[in-house]
Amino acid sequence: MSLYHPSDDFVARSNVSGGDARRDLVARAEAAPEKFWSELAESELHWFRKWDAVLDESGAPFYKWFVGGRTNMSYNCVDRHCDTWRKNRAAIVWEGEPGDQRTLTYQELLRCVKRFASVLREQGFRAGDRAIIYMPMVPELPVAMLACARLGIVHSVVFAGFSAEALKTRILDLDASLVITADGGWRRGKVVPLKDAVDEALHDCPGVRSVIVYRRTGSDVAMHDGRDAWWHDLDRGASEDCPAEELDAEHPLYVLYTSGTTGKPKGIVHSTGGYQLQVSMAMRWVFDIRDEDTYWCAADVGWVTGHSYIVYGPLLVGTTTVMYEGAPDFPEPDRFWRIADKYRVNVFYTSPTAIRAFIRFGDRYPDRHDLSSLRLLGSVGEPINPSAWEWYHRVIGGGRCPIVDTWWQTETGSIMISPLPGATPLKPGSATFPLPGVAADVVDMRGNSVEPGGEGFLVVRKPWPSMFRTLWGDPVRFQEVYWSQIPGTYFVGDAARKDKDGYFWVLGRVDDVMNVSGHRMSTAELESMLVRHEAVAEAAVIGVPDELTGQAVVAFVTPIQGHEPTDELAAELREWTAQQIGKFARPKQIRFSDALPKTRSGKIMRRLLREIVTTQTVTGDITTLEDLSVIDRLAAQQGSD
């Protein structure tokens, strides 16, 4: 496999310049991890009071970082920059789906945050209270997050595509007393009625005493006396005198809910001090942020990617972060590239699913726009197929932009495995190496490291600053799910391998590894192979029970425009698989689909595909699903087979 090296000019200007610089960081972190993180925390962040201990392991796995230290995320994201030249720099550059635009400088952002924090304070909310934020992708969403962080109000952002039922579940689990929402938001030219969903959810949530509504769409909504208030009415008389609270480093910053296969969603708890340090360092190491950069993470703040790399990470390092409200293909499939061109974006971060969709649309859409401002690309959400990597590098990056293929989770809080773009030769499809201070490994079920080339389980052997602290209200589940599978390690739940050069290849969830006639295969491997075929834009592979082979392969395939989903193409893809991997891997079925079930963060929900094929029903949690109609179409297709 070819290695892709950064240009000499890119290396010379990088924050981590060259392989020796990366190896020096790693060596320092391994030799004295607490000293390593302590020095970074002191140089990168503001502390009202320095910590007494960097790490407390006495209650493992309930680790504590920067014990006794006092800090504030809102202060570090905004206030401190306003004492520097950055005060007049653009903090947030925003574009709504209808085309409206706004830019907030750091000074303007600080005034907005102070005013909204004053509103919350006047309503009686204090540190330790819980707020649900259910908003579209507008600047007031990060304003609300930062205002909560300023006062120590624990916030939970609920993705604005979730149903009233999903919203209610999260409000009740968090025992929230405050909901911050909007009348609606825009998605593919239509209004998403957020306030209506809030009203429906609150029928069963008596603990909520205040609802603050931002006017985004101008839709008519019901306002309940004594509970509901318009954001603009409250803001009109709000004070800008609202100092940031001096919070303990372990004070909970936010709770973000992730769905399991069954049961209620898990509330992932992230604290303040360690989290803000590690996301800040990822901005410098992975995204190589420079003072002149305009940075765009094209995710949604409703997911952890948006928390860490739209809001908190970029603002911590004082860069300009771009926010976009709507769909990437509305009104045409060039919307992302039009935005990148318009705002002269330098660093762009998106998901493999989005990249494969753009491939399906064709090169003509990015070719309409000048993407020469881009200098670095990123990938997040799931392993990226090498062929999609190559297209991303060639068409979007013009063959000049390194790609940081990042692996991390809601639970890890920050990027854990990734290239450092000025220091790491790239292999398409590999997340390369753990970041400095991250002790990742690939092991067997006894915790022994596998030999180079062998497959195993991805684990993290030592605590890291941005790690989640517990599951909200469920510490027993926290220990059982994450810390009891392979004793002494954090069990990631992903299969992986390390090659002879030490590069990490994440193969997907452990339950996405199949055993066909004694051959272990990952869904990622098979999907990458299918996407290499000239007719395939996207593929999802599952294993289903088979009396003869133990498991059989079923592949769901979305063809590239211009290729018809015929029996002949299905036969060709089955033969292609046999040629590329072996006859044992030949899919038992090829099912064509115009779309696959995905979360809004871009992950394919293979569990739902498995349920459709094996039981013809979907019974598990679907609250994270972006488009419910995809399931209906696939189920109808299954019924007609």
Side-chain angles (χ1 to χ4, degrees):
M1 173 177 287
S2 298
L3 283 176
Y4 288 75
H5 295 268
S7 68
D8 291 342
D9 179 64
F10 193 101
V11 172
R13 298 187 62 197
S14 294
N15 293 330
V16 182
S17 181
D20 288 344
R22 187 191 73 83
R23 285 185 285 272
D24 178 63
L25 276 174
V26 171
R28 284 166 48 203
E30 289 179 348
E34 292 188 27
K35 181 173 183 287
F36 177 78
W37 290 117
S38 177
E39 290 175 350
L40 290 173
E42 197 157 8
S43 64
E44 295 291 330
L45 300 171
H46 177 271
W47 298 84
F48 299 110
R49 181 186 185 277
K50 191 177 177 180
W51 50 90
D52 301 315
V54 177
L55 174 63
D56 179 0
E57 301 184 67
S58 62
F62 300 95
Y63 298 97
K64 296 179 180 179
W65 282 86
F66 304 108
V67 179
R70 302 192 77 81
T71 186
N72 186 284
M73 174 67 87
S74 183
Y75 187 93
N76 274 301
C77 283
V78 194
D79 298 54
R80 63 180 177 141
H81 300 311
C82 292
D83 293 329
T84 73
W85 63 269
R86 285 188 170 85
K87 64 184 180 181
N88 292 319
R89 183 181 186 177
I92 298 172
V93 172
W94 173 80
E95 181 164 307
E97 189 181 77
D100 40 345
Q101 305 162 48
R102 287 168 61 196
T103 297
L104 291 177
T105 65
Y106 275 92
Q107 278 195 130
E108 291 167 324
L109 179 60
L110 178 58
R111 287 196 290 269
C112 290
V113 170
K114 283 183 173 180
R115 288 201 304 271
F116 194 63
S118 293
V119 165
L120 300 181
R121 186 180 60 187
E122 287 299 311
Q123 292 204 352
F125 294 104
R126 299 290 185 267
D129 290 337
R130 275 86 62 200
I132 292 287
I133 303 174
Y134 184 61
M135 298 186 73
M137 285 281 287
V138 293
E140 281 67 23
L141 171 52
V143 166
M145 295 166 68
L146 291 162
C148 287
R150 192 170 196 82
L151 299 179
I153 299 168
V154 181
H155 65 70
S156 183
V157 179
V158 177
F159 165 55
F162 277 176
S163 67
E165 183 64 27
L167 177 63
K168 180 184 77 173
T169 300
R170 288 155 174 77
I171 293 171
L172 291 173
D173 190 72
L174 195 65
D175 192 19
S177 54
L178 167 66
V179 174
I180 305 166
T181 189
D183 54 357
W186 293 103
R187 185 72 178 175
R188 290 195 168 91
K190 297 180 180 179
V191 171
V192 180
L194 301 179
K195 179 57 164 60
D196 292 351
V198 169
D199 290 342
E200 182 180 342
L202 293 189
H203 285 307
D204 300 314
C205 301
V208 173
R209 59 183 176 87
S210 181
V211 176
I212 298 175
V213 187
Y214 175 71
R215 179 174 284 160
R216 166 65 183 132
T217 65
S219 305
D220 289 333
V221 296
M223 298 293 284
H224 295 256
D225 289 340
R227 188 195 72 183
D228 301 350
W230 287 106
W231 180 306
H232 58 270
D233 288 339
L234 297 172
D235 181 72
R236 192 173 293 120
S239 169
E240 292 184 10
D241 180 16
C242 189
E245 294 288 328
E246 299 183 8
L247 300 170
D248 189 272
E250 281 297 303
H251 184 82
L253 175 65
Y254 67 82
V255 177
L256 187 57
Y257 285 89
T258 68
S259 295
T261 54
T262 59
K264 71 176 185 178
K266 298 173 292 187
I268 305 297
V269 180
H270 279 291
S271 66
T272 301
Y275 172 81
Q276 67 181 358
L277 173 61
Q278 199 160 348
V279 295
S280 177
M281 297 319 302
M283 292 300 300
R284 300 203 186 280
W285 291 338
V286 177
F287 297 116
D288 193 44
I289 290 297
R290 303 172 186 171
D291 283 343
E292 67 272 18
D293 279 340
T294 296
Y295 161 92
W296 183 20
C297 172
D300 192 288
V301 177
W303 311 115
V304 72
T305 304
H307 283 62
S308 296
Y309 298 116
I310 295 177
V311 181
Y312 291 128
L315 296 178
L316 280 166
V317 298
T319 196
T320 298
T321 181
V322 174
M323 286 182 67
Y324 167 59
E325 178 185 28
D329 56 353
F330 186 86
E332 291 189 85
D334 69 339
R335 188 65 183 266
F336 272 17
W337 317 128
R338 182 153 62 88
I339 290 172
D341 181 356
K342 180 178 183 178
Y343 299 109
R344 310 308 295 152
V345 171
N346 307 112
V347 181
F348 178 68
Y349 192 37
T350 191
S351 71
T353 299
I355 295 165
R356 290 191 294 267
F358 296 137
I359 293 172
R360 185 182 177 209
F361 296 142
D363 295 5
R364 67 186 182 278
Y365 290 106
D367 287 349
R368 291 177 178 176
H369 302 280
D370 178 7
L371 302 180
S372 61
S373 63
L374 293 171
R375 66 174 184 86
L376 180 64
L377 303 174
S379 171
V380 60
E382 61 181 346
I384 184 170
N385 310 101
S387 60
W389 193 103
E390 298 273 5
W391 182 90
Y392 195 29
H393 182 264
R394 174 178 56 85
V395 176
I396 306 305
R400 70 186 180 279
C401 297
I403 297 174
V404 286
D405 178 7
T406 63
W407 176 86
W408 59 297
Q409 300 175 307
T410 304
E411 292 87 345
T412 70
S414 182
I415 295 166
M416 301 289 275
I417 304 175
S418 171
L420 305 188
T424 310
L426 307 174
K427 294 184 180 183
S430 170
T432 69
F433 304 108
L435 294 188
V438 174
D441 198 3
V442 181
V443 303
D444 60 26
M445 278 307 295
R446 293 180 295 277
N448 301 313
S449 300
V450 301
E451 294 295 321
E455 294 183 10
F457 303 98
L458 185 59
V459 299
V460 183
R461 292 191 178 277
K462 295 180 181 178
W464 62 99
S466 66
M467 66 194 302
F468 67 137
R469 298 307 196 255
T470 187
L471 295 179
W472 183 264
D474 202 347
V476 173
R477 189 181 183 191
F478 171 75
Q479 291 179 285
E480 290 177 348
V481 171
Y482 298 103
W483 299 97
S484 302
Q485 306 293 322
I486 300 176
T489 71
Y490 166 66
F491 185 76
V492 164
D494 282 341
R497 66 180 173 88
K498 275 200 295 184
D499 66 20
K500 60 182 178 60
D501 299 317
Y503 281 64
F504 280 66
W505 299 77
V506 181
L507 305 176
R509 302 300 294 169
V510 170
D511 56 6
D512 288 334
V513 176
M514 299 172 292
N515 194 320
V516 181
S517 299
H519 298 277
R520 282 176 55 82
M521 296 179 293
S522 73
T523 58
E525 179 184 14
L526 284 167
E527 289 163 5
S528 292
M529 173 274 305
L530 285 166
V531 171
R532 285 200 303 270
H533 191 278
E534 63 179 6
V536 178
E538 192 165 29
V541 171
I542 60 170
V544 298
D546 185 272
E547 291 184 2
L548 182 62
T549 61
Q551 281 187 300
V553 176
V554 176
F556 290 79
V557 171
T558 301
I560 288 176
Q561 288 180 349
H563 293 270
E564 295 300 318
T566 62
D567 290 342
E568 289 75 17
L569 179 56
E572 183 179 334
L573 293 175
R574 294 181 74 247
E575 188 57 33
W576 168 262
T577 306
Q579 292 172 1
Q580 297 293 311
I581 296 180
K583 293 182 179 179
F584 64 87
R586 184 185 282 131
K588 184 177 182 179
Q589 299 177 42
I590 298 282
R591 295 174 175 267
F592 293 108
S593 173
D594 62 349
L596 298 170
K598 302 167 193 168
T599 66
R600 181 69 177 275
S601 60
K603 292 183 180 179
I604 296 171
M605 298 185 74
R606 296 175 186 85
R607 168 179 57 82
L608 302 184
L609 296 174
R610 194 175 298 115
E611 288 187 27
I612 288 171
V613 172
T614 57
T615 68
Q616 289 80 56
T617 60
V618 172
T619 58
D621 183 7
I622 59 171
T623 55
T624 58
L625 187 65
E626 180 184 16
D627 184 358
L628 291 171
S629 68
V630 173
I631 291 296
D632 295 334
R633 295 198 299 274
L634 289 170
Q637 180 189 43
Q638 170 75 7
S640 64
D641 288 343

